[in-house]
Amino acid sequence: MNTADLGLPVEVPSTALFTDQYELTMLQAAMKAGTAGRRSVFEVFTRRLPGGRRYGVVAGTGRVLDAVENFRFDADVLDFLRERSIVDDETLAWLADYRFTGDIWGYPEGEVYFPGSPILRVEGTFAECVLLETVILSILNHDSAIAAAASRMSSAAGDRPLIEMGARRTHELAAVAASRAAYVGGFSSTSDLAAGFRYGIPTVGTSAHAFTLLHDRERDAFRAQVESMGRGTTLLVDTYDVTEAVRTAVEVAGPGLGAVRIDSGDLLLVAHRVRQQLDELGATGTKIIVTSDLDEYAIASLAAAPVDAYGVGTQLVTGSGHPTCSMVYKLVARADSADPAAPLVPVAKKATGGKTSIGGRKWAARRPDADGVAEAEVVGTGPVPADLADHALLVELVKGGEVIAREPLDAPRDRHIAARAALPLSATQLSRGEPVIPTEYVPGLTGS
């Protein structure tokens, strides 16, 4: 959800300058050439998954819709462009009235994707579509990378909840987007209040080591926190001696203490010792939360440990080693004139070095096997074959410039759980491997 869903005020700054200069210079040149009005189709896809990953996760779609809706060239933006002589007066006049009036189709947020999947399809005139390239890619590349890392971590965690704690490890605005993407990928809460405010994500937080160090004794710090937040709070027990801290925590809060947090050391060994100690002290219901530079591999290694929840920061907000998805935004079809009735002609970059593209306005479907498990990502042009119609992936997001597919944030979160569950079991293996299903192109791809 966003703050509009919560009945809270929302700032809607223009997103028009979240772009590269060449989008505007292409626009100016196309206007002079008389080609800017040609009907065009752009697609977002990636040629490969990050090394070793078996599936990708579509995230950021809701933010893309907001960005497209707020892509407006207001007076301050136009003045900036004029002062820098970035485009001429004719182009500035056109930009002053810019509104995206085309259509956007895409994989619904939370869905998984594979190499060649047409994750987003943007249709309209060349002029109105080309301007959106950078803002769309910046959102999808970032958010999908975070969601993919979050998905791997949530798979490794099983039924144990995950807390997003990465705000201090990235840009302050990226932190909010990362928290949203992590929620889509399976995290249950965040420490970032801006993300809670903006998107309604549950927020959590208690204290850091500084709070313990502030007080003369650890006991005084624990007592102050319990008196302020109640016995259900989480006490951080690794500032000094863990064994002594656990004993003191139960003495102060009683056996009804909510949880203890461990943020350093051999987490597997310490968690077992703390669990045994808590049980011996009668605090059998007190949970154990672990933090400390966790990633999906560390989480998986703690599967047999008596851990109840994980807090993840740095590795999550950096995509666990893959901070981008290498998505691209390519023109795949265009009309041969500005006549709205002119047919689309498939176009594609043909170059060496692995950067070729496939032309044509594409559809995608995920073919299941006899047991309902995905066995291939099928991509083609023209009508979707009847036997794949029920498995088509793209949905309409924007129609005639109007957003028609807003949804609460729990919807893509639930969708991702279902999409991941429909993949072969090997999708959740953390060992390096190829995409879990192949991408099959219908023979003779051509535009329509």
Side-chain angles (χ1 to χ4, degrees):
M1 67 182 71
N2 57 35
T3 47
D5 301 319
L6 299 170
L8 299 172
V10 183
E11 293 184 7
V12 284
S14 168
T15 55
L17 290 185
F18 292 159
T19 191
D20 289 304
Q21 182 167 321
Y22 79 168
E23 317 291 6
L24 300 186
T25 56
M26 283 191 288
L27 168 65
Q28 176 178 303
M31 289 177 64
K32 290 185 179 300
T35 53
R38 290 185 175 186
R39 190 161 59 104
S40 300
V41 179
F42 287 82
E43 288 177 352
V44 175
F45 62 94
T46 184
R47 296 182 176 95
R48 64 191 64 83
L49 297 179
R53 295 287 173 88
R54 297 172 184 247
Y55 62 92
V57 181
V58 178
T61 308
R63 296 207 307 121
V64 165
L65 298 180
D66 291 340
V68 170
E69 196 169 60
N70 298 323
F71 205 91
R72 306 281 188 270
F73 291 83
D74 57 29
D76 289 341
V77 171
L78 292 171
D79 286 345
F80 166 77
L81 298 175
R82 183 180 296 108
E83 291 166 2
R84 298 291 183 93
S85 299
I86 291 173
V87 290
D88 60 20
D89 289 342
E90 180 185 1
T91 307
L92 287 171
W94 187 90
L95 292 173
D97 296 324
Y98 178 85
R99 298 292 185 274
F100 180 73
T101 62
D103 302 328
I104 299 178
W105 291 69
Y107 280 37
E109 190 163 18
E111 183 57 84
V112 298
Y113 71 87
F114 299 92
S117 296
I119 296 164
L120 200 74
R121 190 174 73 218
V122 183
E123 305 182 34
T125 65
F126 177 84
E128 63 182 343
C129 294
V130 74
L131 295 181
L132 299 176
E133 174 182 4
T134 301
V135 70
I136 286 176
L137 287 180
S138 66
I139 292 172
L140 292 181
N141 268 314
H142 174 269
D143 289 23
S144 296
I146 305 305
S151 177
R152 286 162 61 85
M153 292 173 187
S154 66
S155 177
D159 295 332
R160 298 172 179 176
L162 291 155
I163 307 163
E164 185 277 312
M165 303 171 63
R168 65 191 63 190
R169 300 293 188 241
T170 189
H171 185 279
E172 67 273 16
L173 299 182
V176 181
S179 181
R180 182 188 183 281
Y183 191 75
V184 170
F187 276 57
S188 58
S189 58
T190 180
S191 65
D192 191 323
L193 291 178
F197 174 79
R198 181 69 182 87
Y199 297 115
I201 301 169
T203 58
V204 297
T206 51
S207 67
H209 293 104
F211 184 75
T212 300
L213 295 170
L214 169 69
H215 293 81
D216 296 333
R217 298 183 306 165
E218 192 170 49
R219 180 180 297 272
D220 297 336
F222 288 173
R223 181 177 293 113
Q225 184 174 327
V226 170
E227 288 178 353
S228 173
M229 305 185 69
R231 299 180 187 277
T233 191
T234 299
L235 297 177
L236 181 59
V237 295
D238 72 329
T239 305
Y240 304 117
D241 179 85
V242 173
T243 301
E244 182 62 28
V246 171
R247 182 182 301 109
T248 302
V250 176
E251 288 175 357
V252 170
L257 173 62
V260 296
R261 178 163 75 95
I262 307 166
D263 189 51
S264 59
D266 184 336
L267 297 178
L268 179 61
L269 176 62
V270 175
H272 276 287
R273 288 177 176 174
V274 168
R275 180 73 271 159
Q276 180 179 354
Q277 185 181 9
L278 287 170
D279 292 345
E280 290 172 351
L281 293 171
T284 56
T286 299
K287 298 183 182 301
I288 298 175
I289 300 172
V290 296
T291 52
S292 186
D293 292 326
L294 298 177
D295 61 10
E296 60 266 47
Y297 302 101
I299 291 169
S301 74
L302 293 168
V307 171
D308 298 286
Y310 306 94
V312 189
T314 303
Q315 292 302 318
L316 174 68
V317 299
T318 57
S320 194
H322 297 289
T324 183
C325 301
S326 300
M327 293 179 186
V328 294
Y329 182 95
K330 295 298 182 183
L331 181 67
V332 296
R334 52 87 174 166
D336 56 10
S337 75
D339 183 347
L344 289 173
V345 177
V347 294
K349 174 181 179 179
K350 298 188 184 300
T352 59
K355 283 193 170 184
T356 58
S357 302
I358 298 175
R361 181 180 184 272
K362 300 176 197 68
W363 52 261
R366 189 161 301 138
R367 188 178 68 235
D369 63 17
D371 296 318
V373 178
E375 66 176 12
E377 191 91 337
V378 185
V379 177
T381 60
V384 181
D387 61 328
L388 292 175
D390 291 340
H391 307 289
L393 291 163
L394 277 76
V395 298
E396 195 166 20
L397 302 171
V398 176
K399 183 175 184 179
E402 296 295 323
V403 175
I404 61 172
R406 294 199 189 281
E407 57 185 2
L409 195 53
D410 281 333
R413 174 184 167 86
D414 293 342
R415 181 180 296 119
H416 176 61
I417 293 172
R420 189 177 65 191
L423 297 176
L425 288 176
S426 57
T428 57
Q429 290 179 345
L430 296 181
S431 57
R432 295 175 65 86
E434 297 299 316
V436 70
I437 60 173
T439 301
E440 297 180 359
Y441 295 98
V442 174
L445 276 184
T446 58
S448 60

